[in-house]
Amino acid sequence: MLLSNRKMLKEDVFQLGRKQQLYAGALIKNQGLNSDFTAFETLNPFDHSVIGKVQSCDESHVNDAVKVARETFESGEWAGLHPAERKAAMQNWVALLTEHAEELAALDCIDAGKPIAECLATDIPETIQTFAWYAEAIDKVFGKVAPTHGDNLALVVKEAVGVVAAVLPWNFPALMFAWKVAPALAAGNSVIAKPAEQTSLSAYRMVQLAYQAGIPEGALSLITGFGEDVGKPLGLHNDIDMVSFTGSTEVGRLFLTYAAQSNLKGVVLECGGKSPQVVFDDVYSVEEIADDVLSAAFWNMGENCSCGSRLIVHQDIKESLLAVLKRRLQDWKLGDPQDPDVSIGPMVEEVHFDRVLSHLEIAKQEGAQLIQGGKVSDLGAGMCIEPTIFDEVTPEMTLFKQEVFGPVLAVVSFATEEEAIKLANDSEYGLAASLYTADIRRAHRVSKAIKAGTVSVNCFSEGDISTPFGGYKMSGFGGRDNGLEAFDQYLQTKTVWYAN
Ligand code: NAD
Protein backbone atom coordinates (compact mmCIF):
# COMPACT_ATOMS: atom_id res chain seq x y z
CA MET A 1 0.00 0.00 0.00
CA LEU A 2 1.28 3.45 -0.79
CA LEU A 3 1.60 5.80 2.11
CA SER A 4 -0.49 8.33 0.26
CA ASN A 5 -3.52 6.08 0.50
CA ARG A 6 -3.14 5.47 4.15
CA LYS A 7 -5.37 7.20 6.71
CA MET A 8 -3.94 6.49 10.13
CA LEU A 9 -6.23 5.54 12.94
CA LYS A 10 -5.09 5.85 16.52
CA GLU A 11 -5.04 2.11 17.09
CA ASP A 12 -2.91 1.61 13.99
CA VAL A 13 0.00 3.54 15.46
CA PHE A 14 1.31 0.63 17.44
CA GLN A 15 0.52 -1.90 14.71
CA LEU A 16 2.15 -0.20 11.78
CA GLY A 17 5.43 -2.01 12.21
CA ARG A 18 3.78 -5.29 11.38
CA LYS A 19 2.06 -4.17 8.17
CA GLN A 20 4.94 -4.87 5.79
CA GLN A 21 3.38 -3.02 2.90
CA LEU A 22 4.77 0.48 2.74
CA TYR A 23 6.69 1.86 -0.17
CA ALA A 24 8.77 5.00 -0.45
CA GLY A 25 10.64 6.33 -3.42
CA ALA A 26 11.68 9.32 -5.45
CA LEU A 27 9.20 12.15 -5.68
CA ILE A 28 10.31 14.16 -8.68
CA LYS A 29 7.95 16.20 -10.85
CA ASN A 30 6.80 14.37 -13.98
CA GLN A 31 8.04 11.03 -12.70
CA GLY A 32 5.07 8.92 -11.74
CA LEU A 33 5.41 5.84 -9.65
CA ASN A 34 5.86 2.69 -11.66
CA SER A 35 6.74 -0.85 -10.85
CA ASP A 36 10.01 -0.68 -12.74
CA PHE A 37 12.36 0.42 -10.01
CA THR A 38 15.33 -0.90 -8.10
CA ALA A 39 14.49 -1.12 -4.43
CA PHE A 40 15.88 -2.23 -1.11
CA GLU A 41 14.02 -3.41 1.95
CA THR A 42 13.66 -1.11 4.92
CA LEU A 43 13.63 -3.00 8.21
CA ASN A 44 12.10 -2.39 11.59
CA PRO A 45 15.30 -2.33 13.67
CA PHE A 46 13.57 -3.82 16.70
CA ASP A 47 12.51 -7.17 15.23
CA HIS A 48 14.02 -6.97 11.74
CA SER A 49 10.60 -7.37 10.12
CA VAL A 50 10.41 -5.87 6.64
CA ILE A 51 8.39 -2.65 6.76
CA GLY A 52 8.45 -2.21 3.02
CA LYS A 53 10.52 -1.22 0.03
CA VAL A 54 12.45 1.93 -0.71
CA GLN A 55 13.52 2.97 -4.18
CA SER A 56 17.27 2.90 -4.71
CA CYS A 57 17.86 5.98 -6.84
CA ASP A 58 21.01 6.89 -8.75
CA GLU A 59 22.68 9.74 -10.59
CA SER A 60 20.00 9.80 -13.30
CA HIS A 61 17.38 10.66 -10.66
CA VAL A 62 19.65 13.38 -9.32
CA ASN A 63 20.00 14.85 -12.81
CA ASP A 64 16.23 14.76 -13.36
CA ALA A 65 15.52 16.38 -10.01
CA VAL A 66 18.11 19.12 -10.54
CA LYS A 67 16.71 19.91 -13.99
CA VAL A 68 13.19 20.28 -12.62
CA ALA A 69 14.39 22.25 -9.60
CA ARG A 70 16.36 24.66 -11.78
CA GLU A 71 13.49 25.19 -14.21
CA THR A 72 11.10 25.83 -11.33
CA PHE A 73 13.49 28.25 -9.68
CA GLU A 74 14.07 30.25 -12.86
CA SER A 75 10.36 30.26 -13.72
CA GLY A 76 9.54 31.97 -10.44
CA GLU A 77 6.76 29.46 -9.78
CA TRP A 78 7.88 29.34 -6.13
CA ALA A 79 10.74 31.82 -5.70
CA GLY A 80 8.76 34.55 -7.51
CA LEU A 81 5.56 34.21 -5.51
CA HIS A 82 4.42 37.01 -3.26
CA PRO A 83 5.87 36.13 0.18
CA ALA A 84 2.32 35.91 1.55
CA GLU A 85 1.50 33.21 -1.02
CA ARG A 86 4.55 31.13 -0.11
CA LYS A 87 3.63 31.57 3.52
CA ALA A 88 0.05 30.42 2.90
CA ALA A 89 1.22 27.28 1.10
CA MET A 90 3.58 26.40 3.92
CA GLN A 91 0.87 27.02 6.47
CA ASN A 92 -1.39 24.63 4.56
CA TRP A 93 1.42 22.11 4.83
CA VAL A 94 1.66 22.71 8.58
CA ALA A 95 -2.07 21.99 8.90
CA LEU A 96 -1.69 18.70 7.02
CA LEU A 97 1.37 17.70 9.03
CA THR A 98 -0.59 18.38 12.21
CA GLU A 99 -3.45 16.23 10.96
CA HIS A 100 -0.99 13.41 10.21
CA ALA A 101 1.21 13.81 13.29
CA GLU A 102 0.50 10.35 14.71
CA GLU A 103 1.20 8.70 11.41
CA LEU A 104 4.53 10.52 11.08
CA ALA A 105 5.45 9.59 14.64
CA ALA A 106 4.69 5.95 13.92
CA LEU A 107 6.79 6.01 10.75
CA ASP A 108 9.87 7.35 12.54
CA CYS A 109 9.31 4.88 15.37
CA ILE A 110 9.27 1.77 13.18
CA ASP A 111 11.83 3.00 10.68
CA ALA A 112 14.51 4.29 13.08
CA GLY A 113 13.64 2.34 16.25
CA LYS A 114 12.89 5.56 18.10
CA PRO A 115 10.61 5.31 21.16
CA ILE A 116 7.06 6.18 20.11
CA ALA A 117 6.53 8.28 23.24
CA GLU A 118 9.36 10.60 22.16
CA CYS A 119 8.26 10.69 18.53
CA LEU A 120 4.79 11.77 19.65
CA ALA A 121 5.92 14.20 22.35
CA THR A 122 9.05 15.71 20.81
CA ASP A 123 10.14 14.80 17.28
CA ILE A 124 6.92 15.42 15.39
CA PRO A 125 5.66 18.45 17.39
CA GLU A 126 9.08 20.08 16.88
CA THR A 127 9.04 19.15 13.20
CA ILE A 128 5.69 20.86 12.75
CA GLN A 129 6.79 23.85 14.82
CA THR A 130 9.87 24.24 12.58
CA PHE A 131 7.71 24.49 9.46
CA ALA A 132 5.32 26.89 11.18
CA TRP A 133 8.15 29.10 12.44
CA TYR A 134 9.83 29.50 9.04
CA ALA A 135 6.49 29.96 7.28
CA GLU A 136 5.91 32.87 9.65
CA ALA A 137 9.39 34.30 8.88
CA ILE A 138 8.81 34.47 5.11
CA ASP A 139 7.21 37.91 5.02
CA LYS A 140 9.60 39.49 7.53
CA VAL A 141 12.76 39.65 5.44
CA PHE A 142 13.95 43.20 4.80
CA GLY A 143 16.87 44.56 2.80
CA LYS A 144 18.97 47.59 3.68
CA VAL A 145 19.84 51.00 2.25
CA ALA A 146 23.59 51.64 2.51
CA PRO A 147 24.91 55.03 3.83
CA THR A 148 26.39 56.15 0.49
CA HIS A 149 26.88 59.64 -0.92
CA GLY A 150 23.54 61.38 -1.36
CA ASP A 151 23.69 61.26 -5.15
CA ASN A 152 23.74 57.49 -5.09
CA LEU A 153 21.34 54.91 -3.80
CA ALA A 154 22.70 51.51 -2.78
CA LEU A 155 20.30 48.74 -1.85
CA VAL A 156 21.47 45.60 -0.13
CA VAL A 157 18.90 42.93 -0.96
CA LYS A 158 18.43 39.27 -0.09
CA GLU A 159 17.70 36.69 -2.77
CA ALA A 160 17.17 32.95 -2.64
CA VAL A 161 20.33 30.97 -3.37
CA GLY A 162 18.72 28.80 -6.07
CA VAL A 163 18.79 24.99 -6.00
CA VAL A 164 19.56 23.57 -2.56
CA ALA A 165 20.19 19.91 -1.71
CA ALA A 166 19.52 18.67 1.83
CA VAL A 167 21.38 15.45 2.75
CA LEU A 168 20.03 13.97 5.96
CA PRO A 169 20.91 11.55 8.78
CA TRP A 170 18.78 8.77 10.27
CA ASN A 171 18.70 9.68 13.96
CA PHE A 172 15.87 12.26 13.88
CA PRO A 173 14.44 11.58 10.42
CA ALA A 174 11.45 13.94 10.41
CA LEU A 175 13.05 16.67 12.50
CA MET A 176 16.30 16.87 10.52
CA PHE A 177 14.24 17.03 7.32
CA ALA A 178 12.39 20.01 8.82
CA TRP A 179 15.55 21.75 10.06
CA LYS A 180 16.89 21.84 6.49
CA VAL A 181 13.86 21.91 4.22
CA ALA A 182 11.74 24.43 6.13
CA PRO A 183 14.14 27.41 6.04
CA ALA A 184 15.51 26.61 2.57
CA LEU A 185 12.04 26.33 1.04
CA ALA A 186 10.65 29.29 2.96
CA ALA A 187 13.49 31.42 1.57
CA GLY A 188 12.27 30.65 -1.96
CA ASN A 189 14.77 28.02 -3.03
CA SER A 190 14.00 24.84 -4.92
CA VAL A 191 14.95 22.04 -2.57
CA ILE A 192 16.01 18.45 -3.24
CA ALA A 193 15.93 16.30 -0.10
CA LYS A 194 17.84 13.05 0.33
CA PRO A 195 16.89 11.12 3.47
CA ALA A 196 19.29 8.62 5.00
CA GLU A 197 18.82 5.21 3.40
CA GLN A 198 17.81 3.71 6.77
CA THR A 199 14.91 6.14 7.28
CA SER A 200 13.05 7.37 4.21
CA LEU A 201 9.44 6.89 5.24
CA SER A 202 8.54 10.06 7.13
CA ALA A 203 10.31 12.26 4.55
CA TYR A 204 8.37 10.55 1.77
CA ARG A 205 5.09 11.13 3.57
CA MET A 206 5.91 14.76 4.35
CA VAL A 207 6.72 15.53 0.72
CA GLN A 208 3.44 13.98 -0.38
CA LEU A 209 1.66 16.24 2.08
CA ALA A 210 3.62 19.24 0.78
CA TYR A 211 2.24 18.69 -2.71
CA GLN A 212 -1.23 18.30 -1.29
CA ALA A 213 -0.74 21.63 0.49
CA GLY A 214 0.11 23.44 -2.74
CA ILE A 215 3.91 23.51 -2.67
CA PRO A 216 4.87 23.17 -6.38
CA GLU A 217 6.33 19.76 -7.20
CA GLY A 218 9.33 21.38 -8.85
CA ALA A 219 10.14 23.31 -5.69
CA LEU A 220 10.54 20.22 -3.52
CA SER A 221 11.82 16.83 -4.67
CA LEU A 222 12.76 13.73 -2.76
CA ILE A 223 15.41 11.23 -3.83
CA THR A 224 15.77 8.07 -1.77
CA GLY A 225 18.81 5.83 -1.82
CA PHE A 226 22.38 5.40 -0.69
CA GLY A 227 25.11 7.92 -0.05
CA GLU A 228 27.42 6.91 -2.89
CA ASP A 229 24.53 6.68 -5.38
CA VAL A 230 22.60 9.83 -4.49
CA GLY A 231 24.55 11.92 -1.94
CA LYS A 232 27.73 11.97 -3.99
CA PRO A 233 26.13 13.02 -7.32
CA LEU A 234 24.26 15.75 -5.41
CA GLY A 235 27.55 16.96 -3.92
CA LEU A 236 29.28 16.92 -7.30
CA HIS A 237 26.46 18.40 -9.40
CA ASN A 238 27.40 21.61 -11.17
CA ASP A 239 23.89 23.04 -11.14
CA ILE A 240 23.25 22.77 -7.41
CA ASP A 241 24.03 26.03 -5.63
CA MET A 242 24.23 24.78 -2.08
CA VAL A 243 24.30 21.58 -0.05
CA SER A 244 23.14 21.48 3.52
CA PHE A 245 24.30 18.29 5.20
CA THR A 246 23.78 16.67 8.58
CA GLY A 247 25.65 13.49 9.37
CA SER A 248 29.07 12.20 10.30
CA THR A 249 32.15 14.39 10.18
CA GLU A 250 33.75 11.85 7.84
CA VAL A 251 31.05 12.26 5.18
CA GLY A 252 30.74 16.00 5.85
CA ARG A 253 34.37 16.34 4.87
CA LEU A 254 33.57 14.64 1.55
CA PHE A 255 31.02 17.33 0.74
CA LEU A 256 33.75 19.96 0.96
CA THR A 257 35.82 18.01 -1.55
CA TYR A 258 32.77 17.52 -3.80
CA ALA A 259 32.24 21.29 -3.79
CA ALA A 260 35.90 21.91 -4.56
CA GLN A 261 35.81 19.38 -7.40
CA SER A 262 32.66 20.88 -8.95
CA ASN A 263 31.19 24.38 -8.86
CA LEU A 264 32.26 25.69 -5.42
CA LYS A 265 28.70 25.33 -4.24
CA GLY A 266 27.97 26.58 -0.73
CA VAL A 267 28.29 23.89 1.93
CA VAL A 268 26.79 23.84 5.41
CA LEU A 269 27.75 20.91 7.62
CA GLU A 270 26.25 19.77 10.91
CA CYS A 271 28.37 16.87 12.07
CA GLY A 272 29.29 14.75 15.05
CA GLY A 273 30.07 15.50 18.66
CA LYS A 274 31.57 14.26 21.91
CA SER A 275 29.86 16.71 24.18
CA PRO A 276 30.99 17.25 27.78
CA GLN A 277 28.75 17.54 30.83
CA VAL A 278 30.75 19.35 33.49
CA VAL A 279 29.45 18.97 37.05
CA PHE A 280 31.01 21.12 39.80
CA ASP A 281 30.94 20.24 43.47
CA ASP A 282 28.82 23.31 44.30
CA VAL A 283 25.63 22.03 42.61
CA TYR A 284 22.62 22.36 44.91
CA SER A 285 21.87 18.67 44.79
CA VAL A 286 22.93 15.71 42.65
CA GLU A 287 19.34 14.45 42.85
CA GLU A 288 18.15 17.59 41.05
CA ILE A 289 20.53 17.32 38.13
CA ALA A 290 20.49 13.55 37.63
CA ASP A 291 17.63 13.38 35.13
CA ASP A 292 19.22 16.01 32.91
CA VAL A 293 22.56 14.21 33.01
CA LEU A 294 20.85 10.95 32.04
CA SER A 295 18.82 12.55 29.25
CA ALA A 296 21.93 14.12 27.79
CA ALA A 297 23.69 10.77 27.77
CA PHE A 298 20.93 8.33 26.87
CA TRP A 299 18.08 10.20 25.14
CA ASN A 300 17.38 8.59 21.76
CA MET A 301 19.69 5.70 22.80
CA GLY A 302 22.63 8.09 22.61
CA GLU A 303 22.05 8.30 18.83
CA ASN A 304 22.13 12.03 19.17
CA CYS A 305 24.72 14.45 17.82
CA SER A 306 24.59 16.56 20.99
CA CYS A 307 24.74 13.49 23.25
CA GLY A 308 26.50 14.44 26.52
CA SER A 309 28.72 11.40 26.29
CA ARG A 310 31.54 12.66 28.54
CA LEU A 311 30.64 13.23 32.20
CA ILE A 312 33.36 15.40 33.73
CA VAL A 313 32.55 15.49 37.40
CA HIS A 314 34.26 16.94 40.46
CA GLN A 315 36.06 14.20 42.39
CA ASP A 316 34.27 15.02 45.67
CA ILE A 317 30.77 14.37 44.31
CA LYS A 318 31.50 11.70 41.72
CA GLU A 319 30.45 8.74 43.87
CA SER A 320 27.20 10.32 45.05
CA LEU A 321 26.23 11.42 41.54
CA LEU A 322 26.99 8.01 40.03
CA ALA A 323 24.93 6.30 42.73
CA VAL A 324 21.90 8.44 41.82
CA LEU A 325 22.40 7.93 38.08
CA LYS A 326 22.54 4.16 38.51
CA ARG A 327 19.42 4.15 40.67
CA ARG A 328 17.44 6.33 38.25
CA LEU A 329 18.43 4.19 35.28
CA GLN A 330 16.28 1.40 36.73
CA ASP A 331 13.31 3.40 35.34
CA TRP A 332 14.62 3.35 31.77
CA LYS A 333 12.74 0.50 30.11
CA LEU A 334 14.36 -1.31 27.19
CA GLY A 335 12.40 -2.94 24.40
CA ASP A 336 10.02 -2.47 21.50
CA PRO A 337 9.94 1.25 20.66
CA GLN A 338 6.27 0.89 19.76
CA ASP A 339 5.59 0.33 23.48
CA PRO A 340 4.77 3.76 24.92
CA ASP A 341 6.64 2.95 28.15
CA VAL A 342 9.92 2.16 26.42
CA SER A 343 12.71 4.72 26.48
CA ILE A 344 15.56 2.61 25.05
CA GLY A 345 14.86 1.01 21.68
CA PRO A 346 17.25 -0.82 19.37
CA MET A 347 20.28 0.57 17.57
CA VAL A 348 19.22 1.71 14.11
CA GLU A 349 20.91 -1.08 12.13
CA GLU A 350 23.21 -4.06 12.56
CA VAL A 351 26.37 -2.35 11.30
CA HIS A 352 25.88 0.44 13.79
CA PHE A 353 24.98 -1.99 16.59
CA ASP A 354 28.27 -3.84 15.98
CA ARG A 355 30.17 -0.54 15.99
CA VAL A 356 28.72 0.41 19.39
CA LEU A 357 29.52 -3.04 20.82
CA SER A 358 33.10 -2.73 19.60
CA HIS A 359 33.37 0.55 21.54
CA LEU A 360 32.35 -1.33 24.70
CA GLU A 361 35.09 -3.90 24.11
CA ILE A 362 37.73 -1.30 23.37
CA ALA A 363 36.80 0.66 26.52
CA LYS A 364 37.27 -2.48 28.64
CA GLN A 365 40.55 -3.36 26.94
CA GLU A 366 41.89 0.15 27.50
CA GLY A 367 41.16 -0.08 31.22
CA ALA A 368 37.89 1.83 31.68
CA GLN A 369 35.79 0.46 34.53
CA LEU A 370 32.31 -0.78 33.60
CA ILE A 371 29.98 0.24 36.44
CA GLN A 372 26.55 0.06 34.80
CA GLY A 373 24.89 -1.78 31.90
CA GLY A 374 27.03 -3.05 29.05
CA LYS A 375 24.71 -5.94 28.21
CA VAL A 376 22.55 -6.54 25.19
CA SER A 377 18.89 -7.41 25.68
CA ASP A 378 17.58 -10.50 23.91
CA LEU A 379 14.29 -8.75 23.11
CA GLY A 380 13.29 -8.58 19.45
CA ALA A 381 16.25 -9.09 17.14
CA GLY A 382 18.59 -8.37 20.05
CA MET A 383 19.83 -4.91 19.13
CA CYS A 384 18.87 -3.04 22.34
CA ILE A 385 21.93 -2.09 24.37
CA GLU A 386 21.56 -1.26 28.05
CA PRO A 387 22.46 2.30 29.07
CA THR A 388 26.12 1.86 29.94
CA ILE A 389 28.47 3.82 32.20
CA PHE A 390 32.25 3.52 32.25
CA ASP A 391 34.15 5.12 35.12
CA GLU A 392 37.89 5.87 35.36
CA VAL A 393 38.06 6.99 31.74
CA THR A 394 41.15 9.01 30.79
CA PRO A 395 41.66 11.52 27.95
CA GLU A 396 43.93 9.05 26.16
CA MET A 397 41.17 6.45 25.84
CA THR A 398 39.16 5.94 22.65
CA LEU A 399 35.92 6.31 24.63
CA PHE A 400 36.93 9.82 25.64
CA LYS A 401 37.75 10.83 22.07
CA GLN A 402 35.46 9.12 19.60
CA GLU A 403 31.74 9.57 19.04
CA VAL A 404 30.04 6.26 19.87
CA PHE A 405 26.51 7.32 18.90
CA GLY A 406 25.08 4.81 21.34
CA PRO A 407 24.02 4.64 25.01
CA VAL A 408 27.51 4.84 26.50
CA LEU A 409 28.66 7.42 29.05
CA ALA A 410 32.35 8.00 29.84
CA VAL A 411 33.11 9.34 33.33
CA VAL A 412 36.22 11.26 34.26
CA SER A 413 36.84 13.28 37.43
CA PHE A 414 38.61 16.56 38.09
CA ALA A 415 39.86 18.61 41.02
CA THR A 416 39.98 22.23 39.78
CA GLU A 417 37.92 24.46 37.48
CA GLU A 418 40.93 24.89 35.21
CA GLU A 419 41.26 21.13 34.86
CA ALA A 420 37.53 20.79 34.12
CA ILE A 421 37.71 23.33 31.28
CA LYS A 422 40.79 21.66 29.85
CA LEU A 423 39.04 18.28 29.85
CA ALA A 424 35.85 19.73 28.34
CA ASN A 425 37.81 21.30 25.48
CA ASP A 426 40.03 18.28 24.93
CA SER A 427 38.10 17.13 21.86
CA GLU A 428 38.17 17.61 18.12
CA TYR A 429 34.44 18.29 18.37
CA GLY A 430 32.58 21.31 19.74
CA LEU A 431 28.86 20.85 19.22
CA ALA A 432 27.30 21.19 22.66
CA ALA A 433 28.11 21.19 26.38
CA SER A 434 26.32 21.29 29.71
CA LEU A 435 27.68 22.70 32.92
CA TYR A 436 26.22 22.45 36.39
CA THR A 437 27.08 24.91 39.14
CA ALA A 438 25.26 27.08 41.68
CA ASP A 439 27.86 29.85 41.29
CA ILE A 440 26.70 32.40 38.70
CA ARG A 441 30.18 33.83 38.22
CA ARG A 442 31.58 30.37 37.55
CA ALA A 443 28.73 29.75 35.09
CA HIS A 444 29.77 32.88 33.16
CA ARG A 445 33.45 32.00 33.21
CA VAL A 446 33.06 28.39 32.19
CA SER A 447 30.34 28.90 29.56
CA LYS A 448 32.65 31.43 27.93
CA ALA A 449 35.67 29.15 28.12
CA ILE A 450 34.01 26.06 26.65
CA LYS A 451 34.39 25.83 22.89
CA ALA A 452 30.98 24.64 21.74
CA GLY A 453 28.09 25.94 19.64
CA THR A 454 25.55 25.50 22.44
CA VAL A 455 26.37 25.61 26.16
CA SER A 456 23.52 24.77 28.57
CA VAL A 457 23.80 25.93 32.16
CA ASN A 458 22.22 23.72 34.82
CA CYS A 459 20.32 21.73 32.21
CA PHE A 460 20.65 19.71 29.02
CA SER A 461 19.20 21.53 26.06
CA GLU A 462 19.79 22.09 22.38
CA GLY A 463 17.86 25.36 22.61
CA ASP A 464 14.73 25.70 20.51
CA ILE A 465 13.68 26.78 17.04
CA SER A 466 14.55 30.42 17.79
CA THR A 467 18.19 29.67 18.69
CA PRO A 468 20.87 28.68 16.16
CA PHE A 469 22.30 25.18 16.50
CA GLY A 470 25.64 24.04 15.15
CA GLY A 471 29.18 23.23 16.01
CA TYR A 472 32.59 24.63 16.66
CA LYS A 473 35.67 22.77 15.47
CA MET A 474 34.95 19.54 13.56
CA SER A 475 31.29 19.47 14.60
CA GLY A 476 30.27 21.83 11.86
CA PHE A 477 31.09 24.13 9.01
CA GLY A 478 29.64 27.08 7.22
CA GLY A 479 26.43 27.83 9.08
CA ARG A 480 23.77 26.87 11.58
CA ASP A 481 20.45 25.09 11.72
CA ASN A 482 17.50 26.80 13.41
CA GLY A 483 16.89 30.44 14.22
CA LEU A 484 16.89 33.27 11.70
CA GLU A 485 20.55 32.36 11.11
CA ALA A 486 19.40 29.26 9.25
CA PHE A 487 16.89 31.26 7.20
CA ASP A 488 19.59 33.76 6.30
CA GLN A 489 22.06 31.13 5.14
CA TYR A 490 19.65 30.04 2.40
CA LEU A 491 19.62 33.60 1.06
CA GLN A 492 22.40 35.44 -0.72
CA THR A 493 23.20 39.13 -0.64
CA LYS A 494 23.10 41.42 -3.68
CA THR A 495 24.06 45.09 -3.88
CA VAL A 496 22.05 47.21 -6.30
CA TRP A 497 23.78 50.53 -7.00
CA TYR A 498 21.92 53.51 -8.46
CA ALA A 499 24.01 56.47 -9.61
CA ASN A 500 22.38 59.83 -10.09
P1 NAD B 1 26.33 9.59 7.66
O1 NAD B 1 27.37 10.63 7.51
O2 NAD B 1 26.71 8.18 7.51
O3 NAD B 1 25.15 9.82 6.59
C1 NAD B 1 24.51 11.06 6.46
C2 NAD B 1 23.98 11.19 5.04
O4 NAD B 1 25.09 11.21 4.13
C3 NAD B 1 23.09 10.04 4.61
O5 NAD B 1 22.01 10.56 3.87
C4 NAD B 1 24.00 9.20 3.74
O6 NAD B 1 23.32 8.45 2.76
C5 NAD B 1 24.88 10.25 3.11
N1 NAD B 1 26.18 9.72 2.68
C6 NAD B 1 26.86 8.66 3.20
N2 NAD B 1 27.99 8.46 2.51
C7 NAD B 1 28.05 9.41 1.56
C8 NAD B 1 28.99 9.73 0.53
N3 NAD B 1 30.09 9.01 0.34
N4 NAD B 1 28.73 10.80 -0.26
C9 NAD B 1 27.62 11.52 -0.09
N5 NAD B 1 26.68 11.26 0.83
C10 NAD B 1 26.90 10.21 1.65
O7 NAD B 1 25.64 9.92 9.05
P2 NAD B 1 24.51 9.10 9.81
O8 NAD B 1 25.12 7.83 10.27
O9 NAD B 1 23.26 9.05 8.98
O10 NAD B 1 24.18 10.07 11.04
C11 NAD B 1 24.91 10.03 12.20
C12 NAD B 1 25.87 11.20 12.27
O11 NAD B 1 25.15 12.42 12.10
C13 NAD B 1 26.54 11.32 13.63
O12 NAD B 1 27.90 11.59 13.46
C14 NAD B 1 25.83 12.51 14.27
O13 NAD B 1 26.60 13.16 15.23
C15 NAD B 1 25.54 13.36 13.08
N6 NAD B 1 24.44 14.30 13.35
C16 NAD B 1 24.72 15.62 13.53
C17 NAD B 1 23.71 16.55 13.82
C18 NAD B 1 24.01 18.00 14.00
O14 NAD B 1 23.09 18.81 13.96
N7 NAD B 1 25.26 18.40 14.20
C19 NAD B 1 22.39 16.10 13.91
C20 NAD B 1 22.12 14.74 13.73
C21 NAD B 1 23.16 13.85 13.45
Side-chain angles (χ1 to χ4, degrees), residues 250-277:
E250 186 190 355
V251 176
R253 206 188 273 277
L254 289 177
F255 276 95
L256 291 175
T257 63
Y258 299 153
Q261 287 163 12
S262 55
N263 60 341
L264 293 184
K265 57 179 66 62
V267 177
V268 172
L269 306 176
E270 297 298 350
C271 299
K274 191 77 201 179
S275 298
Q277 307 194 59

Side-chain angles (χ1 to χ4, degrees), residues 274-287:
K274 191 77 201 179
S275 298
Q277 307 194 59
V278 183
V279 182
F280 289 96
D281 56 345
D282 59 9
V283 287
Y284 290 119
S285 119
V286 289
E287 293 281 351

Side-chain angles (χ1 to χ4, degrees), residues 167-171 176 194-197 227-228 231-232 245-248 251 254-255 258 270-272 305 403 405 431 469:
V167 180
L168 307 169
W170 46 258
N171 60 340
M176 294 302 105
K194 182 233 172 287
E197 53 271 25
E228 280 280 329
K232 186 173 176 182
F245 166 86
T246 292
S248 61
V251 176
L254 289 177
F255 276 95
Y258 299 153
E270 297 298 350
C271 299
C305 55
E403 182 182 47
F405 225 54
L431 188 56
F469 181 77

Side-chain angles (χ1 to χ4, degrees), residues 343-355:
S343 35
I344 296 280
M347 295 286 92
V348 71
E349 62 174 357
E350 211 159 343
V351 179
H352 183 59
F353 170 73
D354 290 341
R355 196 182 303 138

Side-chain angles (χ1 to χ4, degrees), residues 185-222:
L185 198 64
N189 297 287
S190 291
V191 181
I192 301 169
K194 182 233 172 287
E197 53 271 25
Q198 298 86 348
T199 53
S200 309
L201 299 180
S202 60
Y204 182 76
R205 190 69 184 109
M206 285 190 284
V207 176
Q208 286 182 319
L209 294 173
Y211 297 162
Q212 208 176 311
I215 310 270
E217 288 186 32
L220 178 61
S221 315
L222 183 83

Side-chain angles (χ1 to χ4, degrees), residues 424-445:
N425 286 333
D426 186 4
S427 173
E428 63 189 20
Y429 296 112
L431 188 56
S434 289
L435 73 97
Y436 294 88
T437 175
D439 178 343
I440 185 83
R441 290 176 304 168
R442 169 172 275 162
H444 275 297
R445 275 195 309 275

